[in-house]
Amino acid sequence: QVQLVESGGGLVQAGGSLRLSCAASGRTFSSNTMGWFRQAPGKEREFVAGISRSGITRDYTDSVVGRFTISRDNAKNTVYLQMNSLKPEDTAVYYCALTQYSALERRISHYDYWGQGTQVTVSS
């Protein structure tokens, strides 16, 4: 069984930064592609960023390109999401997820394990 635990969310003013962390346990972390998703009130969960097993290949949704950076430390079984220049529209619950697919994935249905989520609130 895989467990994913997110941390690092909070309240920040527009233009500020936050760094989310997701600690994984229960399987070989370095064997899996990881992703970050978010869900705002009244909206569907959406893909934010993904990172390959090695960390070399990354993928971002258009709205966060140039502002967010996904990274991972396989020795610590942890994936990160550095969020800069935050905007009120970034307000959401952020989830990390693990997929057994080797390629980068944006499809929610292809992710097998999810964390409990961490709230990010950006005030204007």
Side-chain angles (χ1 to χ4, degrees):
Q1 187 71 4
V2 175
Q3 290 186 328
L4 303 174
V5 180
E6 301 100 334
S7 61
L11 173 64
V12 65
Q13 288 188 334
S17 298
L18 284 173
R19 188 194 196 202
L20 306 183
S21 299
C22 173
S25 62
R27 69 180 293 146
T28 306
F29 175 76
S30 60
S31 299
N32 294 101
T33 296
M34 300 293 295
W36 283 98
F37 292 77
R38 65 187 178 187
Q39 187 165 16
K43 295 187 177 181
E44 294 185 351
R45 192 170 299 189
E46 64 173 355
F47 170 82
V48 176
I51 189 166
S52 63
R53 292 173 291 181
S54 67
I56 293 175
T57 307
R58 308 175 190 189
D59 182 30
Y60 300 94
T61 192
D62 288 348
S63 63
V64 308
V65 170
R67 300 189 299 122
F68 290 12
T69 302
I70 188 171
S71 62
R72 67 191 296 162
D73 185 338
N74 287 341
K76 295 182 178 180
N77 284 1
T78 302
V79 62
Y80 305 96
L81 186 67
Q82 177 67 43
M83 304 186 296
N84 299 328
S85 303
L86 282 161
K87 305 175 181 180
E89 50 265 43
D90 294 318
T91 295
V93 177
Y94 283 70
Y95 300 89
C96 71
L98 179 151
T99 175
Q100 297 183 66
Y101 283 81
S102 59
L104 290 176
E105 276 290 343
R106 293 191 173 202
R107 291 170 287 188
I108 292 173
S109 61
H110 282 210
Y111 282 79
D112 306 285
Y113 299 95
W114 294 82
Q116 83 288 349
T118 185
Q119 176 71 47
V120 171
T121 303
V122 184
S123 63
S124 57

